[in-house]
Amino acid sequence: MTLDRAVMMLAGTMVLASVALAHWVHPAWVWLTVFVGANLLQASVTGFCPAALAFRRLGVQPGKAFR
């Protein structure tokens, strides 16, 4: 698994989890989806992603987007 796939998998999991939590627990959980989306937008513009740094430290191989 590459770093790019790991970041996308984490983002997708967080979005799905926050939608489920917003539906079954409390609507305020939708803010987690907003945060994930804002972080993805920021990473696409700047190339900096905190999740990519964490995965890199765990030894995940770099991909094409995050090196």
Side-chain angles (χ1 to χ4, degrees):
M1 177 182 299
T2 65
L3 192 56
D4 304 339
R5 287 178 154 240
V7 168
M8 288 189 292
M9 188 180 297
L10 176 65
T13 301
M14 295 301 292
V15 167
L16 290 174
S18 67
V19 168
L21 287 166
H23 179 72
W24 284 301
V25 178
H26 192 275
W29 278 102
V30 77
W31 286 104
L32 180 57
T33 303
V34 172
F35 172 76
V36 171
N39 193 4
L40 286 170
L41 182 63
Q42 172 267 324
S44 72
V45 173
T46 66
F48 173 75
C49 179
L53 292 175
F55 281 126
R56 189 176 301 124
R57 287 186 183 149
L58 292 172
V60 177
Q61 297 300 316
K64 295 185 185 219
F66 302 109
R67 295 186 186 264

